[in-house]
Amino acid sequence: MYRVLELNPQLQPFAGDIDMRMNLYKATKERLVPGGKSLVDFANAHQYFGFHHVDGGWYYRDWAPSAHQLYLEGEFNNWNQTSHPLTNLGDGVWELYLEGDDALWDGCKVKTVVDANMTRTEHIPLYARRVVQDPVTITFTAEVVDDWNTYEWTDKDFKAEDSLFIYEAHVGMSQEEGKVGSYIEFADNVLPHVKETGYNTIQLMAIMEHPYYGSFGYQVSNFFAASSWFGKPNDLKYLIDKAHSMGIRVLLDVVHSHAVKNTAEGINMFDGTTWQFFHDGDKGEHPAWGTKCFDYGKTGVLHFLLSNLKFWMEEYHFDGFRFDGVTSMLYHDHGLGTDFNDNSKYFSYNTHVEAITYLQLANELIHAINPNAITVAEDMSGMPGMCLPIEDGGCGFDYRLAMGLPDMWIRTVKEQSDESWDIGKMWGDMCLRRPGEGTVAYLESHDQALVGDKTMIFRLADAGMYTDMNKDCHNPMIDRAIALHKMMRLFTMAGGGEAYLNFMGNEFGHPEWIDFPREGNGWSFHYCRRQWSLYKNGFLKYEWLGNFDRDIVHLLKGHNVFKQRMADQLLYKGPEKILVFKRKDLVFAFNFDPSRSIEHMLVPVPENRNYKLVLSSDDAVYGGFEQVEHMEYPVKEFNGQYFIELYLPARTAVVFEEIDPLRFQKKIL
């Protein structure tokens, strides 16, 4: 019996479905790599296809199984469409050899001409490693890269920390100036901030080439090209190398759930058919995103996608991936409108078992290349086993995103008065995660900050953020917003998962939504940047929020709180909105009541040890009122139970560290 059934005995009626999934995975792997060979040896398409400079000349190869003829055109032949035909080698493989080391050159613009279905079309080569847009014609072309192996990596001895504190980031909008930021600017200007705030992992969005900047990188056109919006390939390598020098791992936000429809810029219709990569008909169309859906059952598609993962890991040294749109992959209806309130929803005709097989193969490959790699699934459906090893009947991911937590916080703030917050239900949502599976908790990601929505600080503070964020201005609404923002982040970070994620700028309460330049806003960058000066100028309350986030990250990381999978609840008082829990050797106490402070509160603790206050959201450095004394709190005993006694002001969270040996004589109540 697979371990997924042991951890989730309620799935016993679906044991046959799990067997079927595992049999499909095994059969597919045997088809790809017969005789027990490794997927690492299979996923090498990028080493063969594309442009390769060899002694004395150049090879260009591509895969177009349904094409009648392929040609290469570009600056090297004055854009003659037919002077350089490729040779059909069989099995859809086409090849052209250009004699002479200078037959092509670094930056030489090229396109592939395809004759298929009595039609001639121009395309970007499937394995192009750099794609650029002409600023005048607005069209895209590929550029040959001849300096691919010139970057000198310095990260041979890189070793990441065990814990996972993720800083989700977008390179283009990472600068304060209203423009598209670069890889180098991110490396030099943002990485030091990430390091200082304690985050040990960056998750880079929009790296895979995409023709529309405003898509946030989620409509990929060229899977092997690092986005030219932000610079050249070596610039991205510099960014990752520098991150590694700071002890920061780098995850790629990989989009294998769908692809852009574009035929001139993307992979769609490359060989004259939709079914080269995608399902034909309605099955190949994503109804919500207007994109194309991969056919994960085809060997050529698996070869392309698995090679793509290996490419990003080996050529750019990425340390893993956050897989976008996993829910869309898992279900034929893409999870649109489905309420996953019954286990049968995971094992029905609607489940896309070939996509599950692909995810299993992808995770096996990634961890074979780098056993320390991290994979994160963006799945809102809660598919059982998503983050269990494949041999246990799982998909092999390390973590899933706790996508219900930001929704819970939004509902709480938007729909309930402060007096009616249900702290018990909130804690229940924090603990609602699959047994044995890693979870990334977060209060808000980029999703909650997009135009049309609101960041959490904006929901709490509203228009007062524009007028009353000076430190010498006292506004009760802003006081409430700052107090709750701190508490909510600590509550989520300490209690919600085995890892934590924050979107760039939210750590200090970046005030506004994200709106990419578009016709509707006059192509403005005003809302597509990060105003770091709000945090750093010393006059605004954003500094308090940033300081608090920095210190709780360092505190929780220093105590390895994620090593304990679930926190132990010590005290819950619903009417008073009090919750206290212990994780590792830290005790976290929260008073969410908007007005009632609690004096002489007795908190049960499991051991006969004293505790020291190590952090309070009410400290002045975080904009508080210094109502909680930093001291050692002696343990007290009553009927064999140990307690510490404390004062917990309204809208305040405090953290105690377990200390040993005892420094106070035991007191008897």
Side-chain angles (χ1 to χ4, degrees):
M1 182 174 67
Y2 291 110
R3 183 166 172 263
V4 65
L5 296 173
E6 297 175 3
L7 292 171
N8 302 271
Q10 72 276 12
L11 300 180
Q12 285 292 344
F14 309 103
D17 296 88
I18 294 174
D19 284 336
M20 182 268 292
R21 293 182 184 182
M22 293 303 296
N23 289 335
L24 179 60
Y25 152 73
K26 293 172 184 176
T28 304
K29 183 180 176 183
E30 180 64 22
R31 187 179 87 233
L32 302 181
V33 284
K37 296 179 182 178
S38 171
L39 287 170
V40 177
D41 298 323
F42 169 76
N44 289 326
H46 57 289
Q47 296 176 8
Y48 180 76
F49 293 110
F51 295 90
H52 297 279
H53 191 179
V54 297
D55 289 340
W58 289 79
Y59 279 103
Y60 165 56
R61 302 184 188 96
D62 234 319
W63 178 62
S66 296
H68 174 68
Q69 180 62 56
L70 265 62
Y71 306 89
L72 183 66
E73 64 169 340
E75 292 178 319
F76 73 99
N77 68 356
N78 294 317
W79 298 99
N80 187 314
Q81 286 195 327
T82 59
S83 64
H84 287 76
L86 276 69
T87 301
N88 189 344
L89 302 182
D91 295 326
V93 178
W94 297 81
E95 179 183 272
L96 171 67
Y97 177 71
L98 296 171
E99 188 173 355
D101 289 322
D102 58 353
L104 297 174
W105 58 90
D106 189 65
C108 176
K109 292 180 171 55
V110 293
K111 284 188 178 182
T112 305
V113 180
V114 179
D115 287 349
N117 301 324
M118 306 296 290
T119 304
R120 176 167 292 167
T121 52
E122 294 181 327
H123 300 265
I124 302 296
L126 292 179
Y127 291 82
R129 299 189 180 190
R130 178 164 167 80
V131 177
V132 297
Q133 185 178 32
D134 187 290
V136 177
T137 65
I138 317 298
T139 59
F140 289 82
T141 56
E143 282 188 356
V144 175
V145 181
D146 192 25
D147 62 348
W148 191 257
N149 295 315
T150 59
Y151 186 83
E152 297 183 6
W153 291 91
T154 64
D155 62 350
K156 180 180 178 181
D157 298 324
F158 169 67
K159 189 178 185 303
E161 296 176 342
D162 291 337
S163 59
L164 196 64
F165 289 84
I166 302 173
Y167 198 82
E168 184 186 34
H170 184 281
V171 171
M173 59 175 292
S174 65
Q175 304 304 304
E176 184 144 357
E177 185 180 351
K179 64 172 188 176
V180 178
S182 71
Y183 295 122
I184 291 177
E185 287 174 318
F186 184 93
D188 293 345
N189 301 333
V190 181
L191 282 181
H193 171 78
V194 176
K195 176 69 174 178
E196 191 269 335
T197 53
Y199 290 89
N200 56 22
T201 304
I202 55 172
Q203 178 182 298
L204 291 181
M205 310 171 62
I207 296 302
M208 304 168 76
E209 189 61 85
H210 48 288
Y212 177 47
Y213 184 55
S215 74
F216 235 139
Y218 290 125
Q219 296 206 357
V220 172
S221 53
N222 314 107
F223 285 75
F224 290 83
S227 178
S228 60
W229 290 106
F230 317 130
K232 292 189 174 183
N234 277 355
D235 299 340
L236 175 57
K237 293 176 183 180
Y238 168 78
L239 186 163
I240 296 171
D241 202 25
K242 186 164 186 174
H244 287 169
S245 74
M246 296 179 173
I248 299 171
R249 65 166 65 84
V250 187
L251 305 182
L252 173 65
D253 198 343
V254 70
V255 185
H256 282 184
S257 48
H258 60 129
V260 71
K261 274 187 174 181
N262 306 33
T263 58
E265 297 90 0
I267 65 175
N268 186 25
M269 299 286 291
F270 182 81
D271 74 344
T273 69
T274 56
W275 58 81
Q276 179 184 5
F277 287 102
F278 311 113
H279 290 288
D280 201 17
D282 291 342
K283 190 176 180 180
E285 304 286 334
H286 198 294
W289 299 340
T291 50
K292 302 297 292 183
C293 301
F294 285 104
D295 183 349
Y296 301 106
K298 298 184 71 169
T299 299
V301 173
L302 294 176
H303 195 212
F304 181 84
L305 294 177
L306 292 174
S307 298
N308 190 233
L309 297 173
K310 183 177 179 180
F311 168 81
W312 289 108
M313 294 183 73
E314 292 196 340
E315 301 294 346
Y316 283 101
H317 293 202
F318 277 99
D319 303 296
F321 303 91
R322 179 264 201 187
F323 277 71
D324 174 68
V326 169
T327 304
S328 175
M329 300 171 68
L330 293 175
Y331 307 99
H332 291 300
D333 70 351
H334 310 291
L336 299 173
T338 299
D339 185 0
F340 294 94
N341 58 356
D342 185 277
N343 286 319
S344 64
K345 304 285 183 68
Y346 304 118
F347 303 97
S348 70
Y349 65 91
N350 187 38
T351 305
H352 195 337
V353 291
E354 291 172 337
I356 293 175
T357 296
Y358 167 66
L359 294 173
Q360 291 174 311
L361 294 170
N363 276 290
E364 179 177 343
L365 170 70
I366 292 164
H367 292 102
I369 295 171
N370 178 4
N372 297 315
I374 298 294
T375 57
V376 181
E378 187 209 28
D379 170 35
M380 53 74 60
S381 74
M383 171 69 77
M386 181 63 61
C387 302
L388 289 178
I390 299 168
E391 60 268 24
D392 293 342
C395 287
F397 282 95
D398 297 297
Y399 298 91
R400 72 167 83 238
L401 291 174
M403 301 182 72
L405 292 185
D407 292 340
M408 179 274 288
W409 284 119
I410 290 171
R411 289 194 306 271
T412 300
V413 171
K414 185 178 179 180
E415 300 172 5
Q416 301 177 24
S417 66
D418 293 2
E419 292 76 15
S420 61
W421 282 22
D422 187 340
I423 308 304
K425 185 179 184 306
M426 291 161 52
W427 178 245
D429 286 343
M430 290 289 157
C431 298
L432 186 63
R433 43 196 197 261
R434 292 284 180 189
E437 302 193 36
T439 301
V440 179
Y442 62 106
L443 174 67
E444 53 188 340
S445 68
H446 73 275
D447 285 329
Q448 287 71 43
L450 290 170
V451 65
D453 208 330
K454 291 182 178 180
T455 61
M456 185 52 67
I457 192 66
F458 221 137
R459 288 185 181 278
L460 294 168
D462 205 35
M465 296 200 73
Y466 291 113
T467 57
D468 300 331
M469 287 297 283
N470 288 321
K471 288 182 179 178
D472 58 359
C473 177
H474 299 288
N475 178 332
M477 178 177 287
I478 298 297
D479 291 344
R480 166 186 176 269
I482 289 177
L484 289 178
H485 193 267
K486 291 182 291 187
M487 295 182 69
M488 291 158 70
R489 295 181 77 83
L490 179 59
F491 197 67
T492 305
M493 189 185 300
E498 292 76 36
Y500 181 75
L501 177 142
N502 163 72
F503 178 67
M504 178 176 64
N506 286 351
E507 70 276 11
F508 62 86
H510 200 281
E512 294 168 328
W513 55 84
I514 302 164
D515 190 10
F516 283 86
R518 55 186 173 85
E519 187 176 2
N521 64 16
W523 304 103
S524 171
F525 281 90
H526 180 74
Y527 296 110
C528 195
R529 59 195 178 106
R530 295 286 90 175
Q531 299 179 63
W532 305 104
S533 60
L534 298 176
Y535 167 55
K536 296 179 179 179
N537 66 21
F539 301 106
L540 301 176
K541 299 174 183 179
Y542 300 102
E543 182 182 13
W544 295 337
L545 298 177
N547 288 345
F548 185 75
D549 192 84
R550 176 199 64 208
D551 290 351
I552 60 177
V553 169
H554 280 286
L555 178 64
L556 270 63
K557 187 170 65 171
H559 286 262
N560 291 315
V561 295
F562 296 149
K563 291 292 186 182
Q564 180 179 338
R565 292 189 66 86
M566 297 285 287
D568 299 316
Q569 187 184 112
L570 301 180
L571 180 66
Y572 165 59
K573 300 172 73 67
E576 292 85 357
K577 302 190 181 349
I578 298 289
L579 185 77
V580 184
F581 61 85
K582 184 174 185 289
R583 199 166 183 185
K584 292 287 285 185
D585 59 342
L586 295 178
V587 172
F588 303 85
F590 297 83
N591 180 359
F592 279 98
D593 194 281
S595 58
R596 180 168 48 182
S597 300
I598 306 297
E599 297 185 18
H600 307 295
M601 187 174 81
L602 294 177
V603 176
V605 291
E607 297 184 24
N608 184 15
R609 293 183 178 180
N610 293 336
Y611 288 82
K612 179 176 70 173
L613 183 72
V614 290
L615 184 140
S616 168
S617 66
D618 193 50
D619 285 348
V621 68
Y622 312 131
F625 303 98
E626 295 281 357
Q627 300 175 84
V628 185
E629 186 176 359
H630 278 262
M631 56 175 281
E632 291 184 358
Y633 288 74
V635 69
K636 301 181 179 183
E637 182 183 352
F638 179 69
N639 286 342
Q641 173 65 59
Y642 302 109
F643 299 87
I644 56 172
E645 180 181 344
L646 60 118
Y647 170 63
L648 192 56
R651 286 195 183 127
T652 298
V654 294
V655 185
F656 296 91
E657 177 185 16
E658 186 180 84
I659 58 176
D660 188 46
L662 297 177
R663 300 177 190 166
F664 293 89
Q665 184 177 0
K666 184 169 58 179
K667 296 182 179 180
I668 306 297
L669 290 179

